[in-house]
């Protein structure tokens, strides 16, 4: 089933951790879901379809999921 996100206000959030608990890459998710996930422990759905709880915040220069980035750039047009 395909769903369209009604809001394009997104920011990267981490998944895919390495052995030292550092995310391998960050994904774009709906902004209003980030705080809810961090506080309540609920899962978010990234633009690429990845489902995960928010546990980390991105730092400048952090790697971003290429699929999320491609989808986000297409949404801005």
């Amino acid at each position: 089933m395909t769903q369209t996100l009604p809001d394009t206000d997104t920011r990267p959030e981490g998944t895919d951790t390495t052995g030292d608990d550092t995310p391998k890459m960050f994904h774009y998710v709906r902004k209003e879901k980030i705080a809810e996930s961090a506080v309540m422990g609920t899962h978010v759905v990234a633009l690429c379809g990845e489902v995960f709880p928010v546990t980390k915040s991105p730092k400048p220069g952090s790697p971003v999921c290429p699929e999320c980035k491609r989808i986000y750039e297409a949404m801005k047009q």
Side-chain angles (χ1 to χ4, degrees):
M1 181 165 91
T2 303
Q3 294 180 342
T4 303
L5 296 175
D7 186 353
T8 60
D9 191 12
T10 58
R11 79 170 196 170
E13 275 303 323
T15 62
D16 303 334
T17 58
T18 59
D20 63 357
D21 201 33
T22 304
K24 291 180 187 176
M25 71 176 66
F26 289 86
H27 296 272
Y28 284 92
V29 301
R30 291 179 59 190
K31 195 175 210 174
E32 65 273 4
K33 296 294 184 182
I34 295 169
E36 177 185 330
S37 176
V39 173
M40 304 297 286
T42 57
H43 285 70
V44 294
V45 179
L47 292 179
C48 67
E50 180 92 21
V51 179
F52 57 94
V54 174
T55 58
K56 301 282 182 186
S57 293
K59 307 258 186 298
S62 296
V64 176
C65 168
E67 183 67 11
C68 281
K69 187 173 184 174
R70 183 189 66 74
I71 294 168
Y72 180 71
E73 292 298 322
M75 292 170 70
K76 290 190 336 185
Q77 297 175 358

